[in-house]
């Protein structure tokens, strides 16, 4: 049965929902798009990074960073779901720092800076390599926007 799919296309729209992808050799699967759920989370992270510098209220900036701290500390340290949550939360934080740095802005009040510093230092001692690497960049970005 011919499905009429061209190279790089899949039948259902998302790789994890496509029953026809199982019969393909692994070499043809290497550049497939992510699932809709993963793409949505990725776009939400980007959007948070772009919006964060425009949050005028220091109270709300502080509340967001404190909420990030709670999310990262909550749950089992060894579970894959918790690790994914930590990476996503820290990626959103790092996207916000990048945007603030690109706009040559500042994080804001001392409470916001202290919450950001705590978030970065907690990630710096994480057993997850990606978090430690991102924490190093975050500390550099914080130095860039603070001064």
């Amino acid at each position: 049965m011919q499905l009429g799919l061209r190279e790089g296309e899949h039948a259902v729209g998302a790789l994890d929902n496509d029953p026809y992808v199982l019969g393909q050799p692994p070499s043809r699967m290497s550049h497939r798009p992510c699932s809709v759920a993963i793409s949505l989370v990725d776009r939400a992270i980007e959007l948070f990074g772009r919006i964060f510098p425009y949050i005028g209220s220091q109270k709300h900036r502080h509340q967001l960073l404190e909420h990030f701290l709670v999310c990262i500390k909550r749950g089992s340290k060894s579970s894959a779901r918790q690790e994914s949550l930590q990476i996503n939360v820290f990626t959103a934080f790092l996207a916000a720092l990048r945007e603030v740095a690109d706009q040559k802005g500042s994080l804001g009040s001392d409470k916001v800076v202290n919450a950001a510093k705590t978030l970065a230092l907690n990630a710096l001692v994480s057993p997850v390599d990606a978090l430690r690497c991102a924490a190093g960049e975050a500390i550099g970005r914080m130095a860039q926007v603070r001064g």
Side-chain angles (χ1 to χ4, degrees):
M1 178 174 149
Q2 181 71 359
L3 291 175
L5 297 177
R6 289 177 277 182
E7 180 72 30
E9 291 183 340
H10 42 85
V12 181
L15 183 61
D16 55 349
N17 296 327
D18 190 348
Y20 300 103
V21 77
L22 298 176
Q24 295 180 2
S27 62
R28 290 189 59 202
M29 294 174 48
S30 61
H31 296 290
R32 296 296 180 119
C34 295
S35 71
V36 174
I38 291 173
S39 295
L40 183 63
V41 170
D42 290 347
R43 297 300 82 77
I45 288 170
E46 288 177 24
L47 182 61
F48 177 83
R50 290 181 185 246
I51 289 175
F52 186 82
Y54 298 104
I55 299 173
S57 169
Q58 297 301 307
K59 176 183 174 186
H60 291 133
R61 282 187 181 196
H62 180 254
Q63 285 176 338
L64 280 168
L65 295 179
E66 287 293 325
H67 179 69
F68 280 0
L69 282 166
V70 169
C71 288
I72 284 181
K73 289 180 182 179
R74 188 182 313 154
S76 169
K77 301 270 190 234
S78 62
S79 76
R81 183 178 172 98
Q82 180 64 19
E83 185 176 310
S84 176
L85 175 80
Q86 290 173 338
I87 290 171
N88 286 334
V89 164
F90 204 81
T91 302
F93 170 62
L94 192 53
L97 286 175
R98 286 178 181 158
E99 191 68 24
V100 169
D102 288 347
Q103 292 183 7
K104 304 205 181 333
S106 72
L107 279 175
S109 69
D110 286 340
K111 286 175 81 173
V112 175
V113 171
N114 287 336
K117 188 179 1 174
T118 302
L119 189 61
L121 291 177
N122 285 347
L124 197 58
V125 296
S126 170
V128 181
D129 294 338
L131 278 176
R132 287 195 312 268
C133 182
E137 182 179 346
I139 290 171
R141 296 281 180 178
M142 287 172 53
Q144 184 180 12
V145 300
R146 185 63 176 162

